[in-house]
Amino acid sequence: MSVSPEEFMSAAPKAATGSSAWAARYASDIRRAWLEHAAQAPRTLQQHLGPSELGVECDRQVAGKMAALPETNHVVDPWPSIRGRALHSEAEDVFDADNARTGVLRWLTEHRVTPHPEHPGTADLYDAVEQAVVDHKFLGTSSMAKVRKTPPRKYRGQLLLYGLGYYLEGLPVKRVAIAAYPATAGSLDGLYVWDQRFTGPDGEIAPEVVELLTEIFTDTERRKRQAEEITSGRARLNDIPASPDNDECYFCPFYRPQAAKDGGTGCPGPGKVAAVS
Ligand code: SF4
């Protein structure tokens, strides 16, 4: 999904609709309950980030999160994340029930792993039969298409970090996989799995896996230094190099297109900041 600043702003909350004046008011009230509940969900802004956040390509976003800066993106719609949380919860039930039905302890669901002492996280699924670590992604149409082409670096990084967590626990990890579900489609037929070897026949972690994990840990150390610059007052958010990307910016807690005009808080995002290599 490509989103221009204008489209972003036009996504600001609108009134829900209905078949009558009462129904429209009632729709707004129902919508309010969902939005207020979503706003109570555990905050994503935290100093010790989990595997899902470390592979993001933008230094500015990750350093800002590490510095626990206040969110400035008040426009992003919470519906995709509400849907994602609900489906993740259902997925846990599905695979636990499969263990119970077959009488085989094949699936390990929602298990805490520690690929880095400061960055633990909860991995969706381990398959003891295939010796595979699986991450569920519940995606809309354009994100599904992207995963079919090449999954974003942050997805691959997250998956490899979960794989490393299991590997460090001593479990065999031959393979890691993204199970991409067509969350907005009418059937499961579009389910797509992307996979990568994690260890070779010798049981050692594959070189291409080591390469991306090393990059992510190097990025993380640099971003901790950048966060320290922010918290100490030596730098502001917009002094940190950015890698703007339409899709990533739309969901970024610091995206605020108006910052390009008023110079206020938040990151102006795509087209307004210089990309860095
Ligand atoms: S809005 Fe985009 S460029 Fe700015 S910090 Fe967020 S992801 Fe980076």
Side-chain angles (χ1 to χ4, degrees), residues 56 58-61 237 242-245 248-250 252-256 267-270 273:
V56 167
C58 183
D59 278 9
R60 184 177 298 175
Q61 181 189 126
L237 176 70
S243 305
D245 167 271
E248 191 62 40
C249 292
Y250 180 71
C252 173
F254 308 118
Y255 187 32
R256 200 178 74 89
C267 173
V273 292

Side-chain angles (χ1 to χ4, degrees), residues 86-110:
L87 286 169
H88 268 94
S89 173
E90 180 70 9
E92 182 179 4
D93 292 348
V94 164
F95 291 95
D96 286 345
D98 197 59
N99 284 337
R101 225 176 2 255
T102 60
V104 177
L105 186 57
R106 172 176 181 179
W107 311 104
L108 179 56
T109 58
E110 297 292 317

